[in-house]
Amino acid sequence: MTEQTRSSAADDRQARWILAALCFGGLSAALMQTLVIPIQGDLPALLGTSRSNASWVVTATLLAGAVVMPVAGRLGDMYGRQRVLAASAALMAAGSVVCALSDTVVPLLVGRAMQGLAMGYIPVAISLVREVMPPRRVPTAISVISATMGVGGAIAMPLAAWIAQEHDWHALFLVSTVVSLMVLTTTLLVIPHIRPAGNARLDVPGALGLAVGLGGVLVGVSKGNEWGWGSPATLGCLLGGLAVLVGWGRYQIGQREPLVDLRLNAQGPVLITNLAAMLVGFGMMASSIVVPQLLILPAETGHGLGLTLLESGLWMTPGGLVMLVLAPYSGRLIGLIGARATLAIGAGVLTASYVFAAFNMSEPWHLLVTMCVGSAGVALAYAAMPTLILDHVPLSGAGAAVGLNGLMRSVGTTCAGAAMAAVLSSRTMEFAGSQVPTQTAFTLCFVVGVVACLVGAGVALAIPRGQAAGSH
């Protein structure tokens, strides 16, 4: 064996360890997003608060995760990505400790928001790939890390349901504390620190403006069904948030070192990819919201399947495993036909899953097929989108650009939550003294998913062909 061959083998081994560490961190960060969903219905009693206040335990994590993505990406571009990954893991651990020690709603909200900030790990990990992986492994590595967003959520549901069922609910956060500390340790020991070129500064007013504006819009969208779409609170959040974002955009354009380079992100391929990200995020989240409700709805309604929360989580888990298995092949497909075509195919496969579900929802295996086919489409789409972004932005702005793409996915998932809640509450029937969605309501949800994914496929095909000079 020649010296060059030995060096190449050593580099490959190191690259595999780095990829494993990045995937473990991304998986853990995604897991935090859905950690409390199995106990969401019990939170008012557990915390001694109203159902409205308890709902913020989930909302706070989603909002923090959405806002932090472009900020974490920019920090990684400026100060080195390994440091930002370590900071994200530390926040995840600290937030888990705060939650584990909480018995009332306020400290739990603080801890959950800190856990949400760990979502900055994923875009930074994706942007790091070009720096630490051999070029031939870059598409596959991006695909695998991107898949952790779906896999983490799929694993969290049954795992959290089992832990909450067998132990005190605080055990959820004790487990997440241990996992977070493991992520922090592997990040510090395995992932190298690469000093960035240049001496850029953080645009603090830009970060605050984005947080306020985006937070207002997302709160208005996520709470619109609960507060009423015409209520002063909802309109104030939506209009106020949009006004702040408009001012933020004007401010960003005038900055030499903006938080988000809007001129770069307004380029055709990047802009259209981000629009597709919002639509695919909508499509992915729609099934994640509707399918569990259909699984646990009592069978006596005539269309519910009557499963327990743990059983429903187990039926949904194979979808996450499909994403994990397909991730390496998604990278190979990108190498064969390009990221643009792969994104369009992914959106098309996701569309097919909704078409199937619209006509087949009477058995658990029907919804299992829906989730597995849909997850295959998400795996392809989630692999293609960061690749398209990285192909059209310079390395110095990769983190912020990938973070913005993640933000657009989060906007799509938030809109999906509001849209599905509106559809499900628009057609209800009385059962056991309460109102539950009818079968028509579930069918309409799947039809909405079909439309969103079809539009997403069309948007993907509108992305200009070819790669920019910044391609890896």
Side-chain angles (χ1 to χ4, degrees):
M1 182 181 292
T2 66
E3 188 65 31
Q4 183 178 2
T5 304
R6 291 194 191 94
S7 176
S8 177
D11 288 344
D12 280 349
R13 282 195 299 272
Q14 183 184 21
R16 284 194 290 268
W17 279 109
I18 292 173
L19 179 59
L22 293 174
C23 288
F24 179 50
L27 189 74
S28 302
L31 186 146
M32 300 301 158
Q33 299 285 297
T34 53
L35 188 65
V36 300
I37 287 181
I39 63 169
Q40 187 175 5
D42 300 324
L43 284 176
L46 293 172
L47 300 173
T49 188
S50 67
R51 184 168 297 275
S52 176
N53 288 338
S55 68
W56 283 99
V57 173
V58 175
T59 304
T61 310
L62 297 176
L63 292 177
V67 171
V68 78
M69 287 187 183
V71 177
R74 180 59 178 155
L75 288 172
D77 294 335
M78 293 168 51
Y79 301 116
R81 296 184 171 93
Q82 188 251 20
R83 292 178 176 176
V84 177
L85 293 175
S88 298
L91 280 170
M92 183 162 56
S96 298
V97 171
V98 171
C99 291
L101 298 175
S102 299
D103 288 309
T104 57
V105 68
V106 174
L108 186 63
L109 286 178
V110 173
R112 287 291 292 159
M114 293 172 69
Q115 287 184 316
L117 294 175
M119 277 300 287
Y121 196 104
I122 295 176
V124 177
I126 292 173
S127 62
L128 178 66
V129 164
R130 284 198 297 183
E131 295 183 287
V132 298
M133 302 295 292
R136 69 183 186 282
R137 294 186 180 274
V138 167
T140 299
I142 291 174
S143 302
V144 175
I145 296 172
S146 299
T148 61
M149 287 185 281
V151 177
I155 292 175
M157 289 287 288
L159 178 63
W162 176 75
I163 293 173
Q165 182 175 293
E166 298 295 327
H167 306 279
D168 180 76
W169 65 275
H170 292 90
L172 290 172
F173 300 107
L174 294 176
V175 172
S176 68
T177 299
V178 174
V179 171
S180 302
L181 291 174
M182 292 171 63
V183 172
L184 178 59
T185 301
T186 56
T187 298
L188 292 172
L189 295 180
V190 178
I191 299 172
H193 170 60
I194 299 174
R195 190 179 299 276
N199 295 303
R201 64 175 183 84
L202 177 64
D203 178 14
V204 176
L208 293 175
L210 178 64
V212 172
L214 185 64
V217 171
L218 293 182
V219 167
V221 171
S222 61
K223 294 294 184 181
N225 286 292
E226 180 182 335
W227 294 344
W229 289 103
S231 70
T234 301
L235 292 176
C237 286
L238 291 173
L239 297 179
L242 288 173
V244 172
L245 286 177
V246 170
W248 172 82
R250 292 174 61 89
Y251 172 81
Q252 290 292 286
I253 291 174
Q255 295 301 299
R256 288 200 322 173
E257 296 177 348
L259 176 71
V260 177
D261 190 338
L262 294 182
R263 290 188 176 89
L264 178 64
N265 285 279
Q267 292 179 7
V270 179
L271 178 63
I272 300 174
T273 300
N274 284 332
L275 180 58
M278 186 170 64
L279 292 164
V280 172
F282 185 104
M284 182 206 73
M285 193 63 177
S287 61
S288 299
I289 293 170
V290 175
V291 170
Q293 294 194 47
L294 197 52
L295 286 171
I296 66 176
L297 195 68
E300 291 79 7
T301 60
H303 54 281
L305 299 177
L307 303 184
T308 66
L309 195 59
L310 178 58
E311 290 170 339
S312 69
L314 291 173
W315 275 100
M316 293 182 67
T317 298
L321 299 179
V322 166
M323 288 188 67
L324 187 62
V325 171
L326 278 184
Y329 299 99
S330 301
R332 296 177 189 176
L333 185 63
I334 290 171
L336 289 173
I337 65 174
R340 171 183 173 273
T342 302
L343 175 55
I345 292 173
V349 172
L350 190 54
T351 303
S353 73
Y354 280 117
V355 172
F356 177 83
F359 296 98
N360 301 276
M361 62 177 87
S362 59
E363 299 289 342
W365 72 266
H366 291 162
L367 300 179
L368 173 65
V369 170
T370 297
M371 294 303 297
C372 287
V373 174
S375 295
V378 171
L380 294 173
Y382 272 26
M385 287 185 291
T387 303
L388 282 165
I389 296 295
L390 292 174
D391 281 344
H392 292 90
V393 300
L395 186 61
S396 60
V402 174
L404 183 62
N405 184 255
L407 167 61
M408 295 304 293
R409 283 198 301 269
S410 295
V411 171
T413 59
T414 303
C415 291
M420 295 303 104
V423 173
L424 291 174
S425 61
S426 68
R427 287 169 171 78
T428 60
M429 56 182 281
E430 187 171 345
F431 175 78
S434 60
Q435 296 294 314
V436 298
T438 64
Q439 184 172 358
T440 301
F442 286 107
T443 302
L444 284 174
C445 285
F446 292 131
V447 171
V448 172
V450 169
V451 174
C453 295
L454 275 178
V455 176
V459 169
L461 292 175
I463 298 172
R465 294 178 181 272
Q467 295 183 342
S471 170
H472 54 67

